[in-house]
Amino acid sequence: MTRATSRRPGGRTARNTAAVLEATLAELGGSGYADLTVERVAARSGVHKATIYRRWGGVDELLAAALEQADHDSWTPPDTGSLESDLRALGEEVAAGFSSDDEEGSVATATIAAAFQSPAAAEALRAFMEERLRRCAEVVERAERRGEVPEGTDAAEVVRAAVAPVYFRLFISREEGAGQAAARAARVAAEAAKAGEFRGSPPGR
Amino acid sequence: MTRATSRRPGGRTARNTAAVLEATLAELGGSGYADLTVERVAARSGVHKATIYRRWGGVDELLAAALEQADHDSWTPPDTGSLESDLRALGEEVAAGFSSDDEEGSVATATIAAAFQSPAAAEALRAFMEERLRRCAEVVERAERRGEVPEGTDAAEVVRAAVAPVYFRLFISREEGAGQAAARAARVAAEAAKAGEFRGSPPGR
DNA sequence: TCCCTAATGCGACGGAAGTTGCACTATGAC
DNA sequence: GTCATAGTGCAACTTCCGTCGCATTAGGGA
């Protein structure tokens, strides 16, 4: 959508967009968010910095665009046979993804950081997480079809309960053991879901 | 501890420390983390910027020192009579504290943001949250004494389960309704604790 | 193929962030 | 009281970030 309003979406513009976003991801993976700068992205991509400032506006918007791109991937939640183990796999995936230094984890971590400083990044993160939660609903819906959980279970809320403790340890309390936390959170969330604690939409909806 | 290694902890040095940290908090409350800069703190506090750079090193370390100071406050967890309502009050306090623009919430939010960029800030945040979790254990211990939850319940883990979804909505998924989420998370955590799901230390300890 | 102009490249500029050397002040030991 | 020096103030300096005006290039309609 970045170029939806453009009058010349083809050729060089498209090439520049690709080069810049790719360079952004590479810089993130290499140096992290703290050292992410427009000048470095410009140098790596071969696109002039003035162009980047004009088209995106700054580092945070650049990051938002990169995340938006990542949003269009083909990720699907795990399917292991039971709600609890699906949730556990999900949580462990989160813990592993953010802990590792691979590109995907770096982008996500950087965006969480950037969201504190830029409305554009915050919005990009919100949209990304919304989409992820939407896809994760599948996990709960399968459980519902299996009869594991009652009908009308708020799928997103179950997933939130399962993964929130992992994120909490990673970025809020900054503790070790996010991976182990996934198992317990998954169990608690699954049990609560079976007991019908997550039935119906939350009050504020 | 900032001045523990100093050879001249008294007089002007102490006054400067107080003035700088107070100015840091004031700047945070007024303009937020994104606009927090050493120069502005220097101007507000009346301490020269070179001094601040020499003593702390940068904005993030400044913030870490301010949080460390806040760590020594007299905060205690709510005591409402039951585990679930205590946890709910706790979660709502978190949601309200971070949403509001008061000074305390600003410092905590800013530190979470700074923790992504500076090891010093990350460590300060970790220590702060550790202390908060330690104080919150009281809530679960009271419930244990009342017989609400089985003996040997991992208090910190119960609290994490109760507040993590609130933090998740605030800073990760960036959704609305963090306050409402507190109620459901508190209920789920309390029920799980009663069922003994949080008995014993987690595996990775 | 031609041509208008959107998009980019380029270099210079203003300003803010952070550093450094030097002089001075005030602390705390004696 | 005196004195060595830790700590601070000051100002100049170096980078780096972001912006701007203008020249140049290339997309895409004719």
Side-chain angles (χ1 to χ4, degrees):
Chain A
M1 82 81 175
T2 310
R3 294 294 86 198
T5 55
S6 170
R7 297 210 210 163
R8 285 186 180 176
R12 186 163 65 163
T13 297
R15 283 196 305 277
N16 279 347
T17 300
V20 167
L21 293 186
E22 185 189 338
T24 302
L25 297 180
E27 279 294 320
L28 272 180
S31 315
Y33 173 65
D35 295 325
L36 182 66
T37 167
V38 171
E39 306 232 352
R40 294 181 64 165
V41 172
R44 184 189 278 259
S45 66
V47 176
H48 199 271
K49 68 168 181 170
T51 298
I52 299 181
Y53 278 114
R54 277 190 283 247
R55 296 239 332 247
W56 284 276
V59 169
D60 296 323
E61 290 82 0
L62 209 50
L63 195 49
L67 186 73
E68 200 176 330
Q69 208 179 35
D71 199 355
H72 300 320
D73 67 1
S74 59
W75 182 88
T76 53
D79 183 3
T80 62
S82 81
L83 177 60
E84 182 181 335
S85 63
D86 277 0
L87 292 176
R88 184 170 57 237
L90 207 51
E92 283 167 354
E93 194 176 314
V94 170
F98 282 99
S99 303
S100 75
D101 296 333
D102 67 346
E103 204 166 74
E104 189 172 340
S106 298
V107 185
T109 304
T111 310
I112 295 174
F116 285 91
Q117 313 202 10
S118 148
E123 169 54 25
L125 175 60
R126 195 202 57 71
F128 179 82
M129 293 302 300
E130 183 181 29
E131 171 64 14
R132 285 292 147 128
L133 280 175
R134 203 189 57 72
R135 294 190 202 175
C136 286
E138 174 65 20
V139 162
V140 180
E141 285 158 11
R142 280 197 301 254
E144 200 172 316
R145 268 180 253 128
R146 281 189 226 108
E148 275 195 273
V149 301
E151 276 188 48
T153 297
D154 185 337
E157 194 64 17
V158 176
V159 176
R160 287 191 199 98
V163 302
V166 177
Y167 283 100
F168 181 82
R169 283 175 185 259
L170 285 173
F171 303 121
I172 310 296
S173 70
R174 297 263 164 187
E175 299 168 273
E176 298 294 322
Q180 288 85 4
R184 180 166 254 166
R187 178 169 171 76
V188 170
E191 290 297 325
K194 288 174 190 172
E197 301 271 5
F198 292 112
R199 226 169 341 178
S201 303
R205 274 292 175 93
Chain B
M1 81 80 175
T2 310
R3 292 294 86 196
T5 56
S6 169
R7 297 209 211 165
R8 284 185 182 177
R12 186 163 63 163
T13 297
R15 284 197 303 276
N16 279 347
T17 300
V20 167
L21 294 187
E22 184 189 338
T24 302
L25 298 181
E27 279 293 321
L28 271 180
S31 315
Y33 174 66
D35 295 325
L36 181 67
T37 166
V38 171
E39 306 235 353
R40 294 179 67 164
V41 172
R44 185 189 278 258
S45 66
V47 176
H48 199 271
K49 70 167 180 171
T51 299
I52 299 181
Y53 277 114
R54 277 190 282 247
R55 295 233 341 242
W56 285 276
V59 169
D60 296 323
E61 291 83 359
L62 210 50
L63 198 49
L67 186 72
E68 199 176 330
Q69 208 179 35
D71 199 356
H72 300 321
D73 67 2
S74 59
W75 181 89
T76 54
D79 183 3
T80 62
S82 80
L83 177 60
E84 183 181 333
S85 63
D86 277 0
L87 292 176
R88 185 171 55 238
L90 207 51
E92 284 168 353
E93 195 175 316
V94 170
F98 282 98
S99 303
S100 75
D101 296 332
D102 67 345
E103 205 166 74
E104 190 172 339
S106 299
V107 186
T109 304
T111 311
I112 294 174
F116 285 92
Q117 313 204 8
S118 148
E123 169 55 24
L125 175 60
R126 194 203 56 73
F128 178 82
M129 293 303 299
E130 183 182 28
E131 172 63 15
R132 286 291 147 126
L133 280 176
R134 203 189 58 71
R135 294 189 202 176
C136 287
E138 174 65 20
V139 162
V140 180
E141 285 158 12
R142 280 197 302 254
E144 200 172 315
R145 269 180 253 127
R146 280 190 225 107
E148 275 194 272
V149 302
E151 277 188 46
T153 296
D154 186 337
E157 194 63 18
V158 176
V159 177
R160 286 191 198 97
V163 301
V166 177
Y167 284 100
F168 180 82
R169 284 175 185 261
L170 284 173
F171 303 121
I172 310 296
S173 69
R174 297 262 165 188
E175 298 167 273
E176 298 293 323
Q180 288 85 1
R184 180 167 255 166
R187 178 169 171 76
V188 169
E191 291 298 325
K194 288 176 190 172
E197 301 271 6
F198 293 112
R199 227 170 339 179
S201 302
R205 274 292 175 94

